[in-house]
């Protein structure tokens, strides 16, 4: 069963991949990474036909090039530099970087190896391809899409009548979307009905292609890979200082632009050791992606207050498994304490009567050595080497217990 081409533009990419890509190009172009795909659902199986279709879709993706119109759009984004746009003019995905097989309980394995510059750009399109192939081939897609439309209409109505008040929110659903058609419809409807929302404002999407198509803001700054690779990829570095290396390189690239810092790569408590006055001032806000969002928010508020920074001048961006109900409650709680924003993914782009896939593709090695994420909650890591995770945890523990150095 051959499907239509799923990824039809290299702009079908989360905005933070371009933010990170530019900084990788200028500062870490020699870094090499390995990425591993994983299905966390225990009841999902990919048939051989699905695996073959995924391979075909990846080949089609690898034939794409940026058009001049797309490059002009990227060039119009305030923090994108001409040197990076010139690089993208020459860039394309390489099928040779992929190893796609069937040796896994779910029937599918995907690994990508190559320069960080290349492999970073694969994660999101691959996840989108796997999702759409699966839902089109495992189910009656037309039935799923009608369920999706019904639920989307209900969500939009609930924003219009004020059932949910979210303040500012963005659509972050490319990696887990039901289909390209579904995400397109969601962004289109949210844009068209935005003026009717009672106390909610749709500000943009992480999908750069749809941001361009619908004239909304492409949203996104950094991902865990940025801290993992820039902080742990140089093996001379103490990995407990990953956040410092990552923040330093980001400021070198962007100054005060494009600044939402991700806090939970090696625990938020360790992040705060490095997020002192200079970085806390330069970055416009912080992003929550694991652990209790209320505990995290209060921790950030007290950290800003301790530094003498008014939290009302900073943004708390929540992006962990949100729906409108959770976001509405968080907004009510924090709106008078700081600026609040939300990145909402699967709930907008893949809400049907069937559970969404819980699939991820994460960097597992950088420059030949394991890298790991130690987030604020168990079970989000993907490192294959327990010894390295133990080493990283011991580095963090030692630093938390012994590092009294004052930073500015």
């Amino acid at each position: 069963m051959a499907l239509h081409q799923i990824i039809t533009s290299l702009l079908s990419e989360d905005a933070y991949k371009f933010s990170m890509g530019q900084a990788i190009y200028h500062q870490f172009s020699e870094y090499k990474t390995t990425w591993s795909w994983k299905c966390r659902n225990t009841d999902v199986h990919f048939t051989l036909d699905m695996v073959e279709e995924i391979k075909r879709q990846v080949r089609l993706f690898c034939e794409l090039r940026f058009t001049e119109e797309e490059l002009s759009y990227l060039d119009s984004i305030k923090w994108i530099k001409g040197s990076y746009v010139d690089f993208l003019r020459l860039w394309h995905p390489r099928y040779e970087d992929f190893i796609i097989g069937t040796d896994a309980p779910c029937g599918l394995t995907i690994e990508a190896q190559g320069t960080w510059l290349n492999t970073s750009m694969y994660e999101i399109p691959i996840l989108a391809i796997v999702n759409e192939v699966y839902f089109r081939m495992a189910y009656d897609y037309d039935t799923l899409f009608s369920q999706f439309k019904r639920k989307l209409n209900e969500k939009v109505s609930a924003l219009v009548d004020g059932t949910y008040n979210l303040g500012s929110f963005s659509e972050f659903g490319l990696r887990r979307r039901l289909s390209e058609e579904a995400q397109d419809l969601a962004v289109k409807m949210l844009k068209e009905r935005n003026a009717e929302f009672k106390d909610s404002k749709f500000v943009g999407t992480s999908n750069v292609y749809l941001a361009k198509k619908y004239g909304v803001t492409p949203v996104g700054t950094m991902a865990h890979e940025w801290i993992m690779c820039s902080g742990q990829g140089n093996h001379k570095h103490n990995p407990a200082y990953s956040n410092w290396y990552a923040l330093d390189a980001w400021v070198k690239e962007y100054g005060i632009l494009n600044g939402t810092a991700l806090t939970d790569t090696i625990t938020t408590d360790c992040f705060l050791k490095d997020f002192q006055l200079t970085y806390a001032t330069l970055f416009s806000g912080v992003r929550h992606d694991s652990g209790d969002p209320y505990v995290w928010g209060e921790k950030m508020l007290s950290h800003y207050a301790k530094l003498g920074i008014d939290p009302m001048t900073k943004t708390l961006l929540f992006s962990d498994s949100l729906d409108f109900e959770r976001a509405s409650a968080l907004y009510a709680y924090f709106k008078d304490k700081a600026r609040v924003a939300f990145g909402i993914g699967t709930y907008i782009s893949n809400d049907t009567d069937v559970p969404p896939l819980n699939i991820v593709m994460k960097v597992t090695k950088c420059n030949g050595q394991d890298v790991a994420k130690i987030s604020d909650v168990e079970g989000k890591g993907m490192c294959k080497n327990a010894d390295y995770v133990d080493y990283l945890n011991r580095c963090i523990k030692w630093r938390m217990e012994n590092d009294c150095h004052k930073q500015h």
Side-chain angles (χ1 to χ4, degrees), residues 156-174:
V156 169
S157 297
L159 294 177
V160 170
D161 69 20
T163 302
Y164 301 121
N165 297 316
L166 313 181
S168 297
F169 74 100
S170 305
E171 187 278 328
F172 272 27
L174 173 52

Side-chain angles (χ1 to χ4, degrees), residues 78-79 219-222 247 250-251 254-263 271 275-287 296 300 304 309-317 338-341:
K78 187 159 49 172
W79 52 79
V219 181
T221 55
M222 69 177 71
L247 295 169
W250 198 262
V251 168
Y254 292 112
I256 62 166
L257 294 174
N258 203 18
T260 302
L262 182 57
T263 70
F271 167 84
F275 198 62
Q276 295 299 319
L277 188 58
T278 298
Y279 291 138
T281 302
L282 288 172
F283 281 81
S284 57
V286 282
R287 175 159 79 93
W296 175 88
M300 293 312 308
Y304 279 127
I309 294 171
D310 179 2
M312 289 302 292
T313 65
K314 299 296 178 181
T315 299
L316 303 182
L317 171 61
R339 295 176 183 170
V340 182

Side-chain angles (χ1 to χ4, degrees), residues 173-198:
L174 173 52
R175 71 186 60 217
R176 303 239 173 96
R177 69 188 184 185
L178 172 65
S179 63
E180 193 277 333
E181 175 185 34
Q183 191 186 18
D184 189 293
L185 178 65
V187 172
K188 181 172 184 276
M189 273 188 74
L190 291 168
K191 165 82 187 297
E192 287 174 351
R193 304 290 300 277
N194 200 12
E196 302 171 52
F197 299 160
K198 198 164 183 188

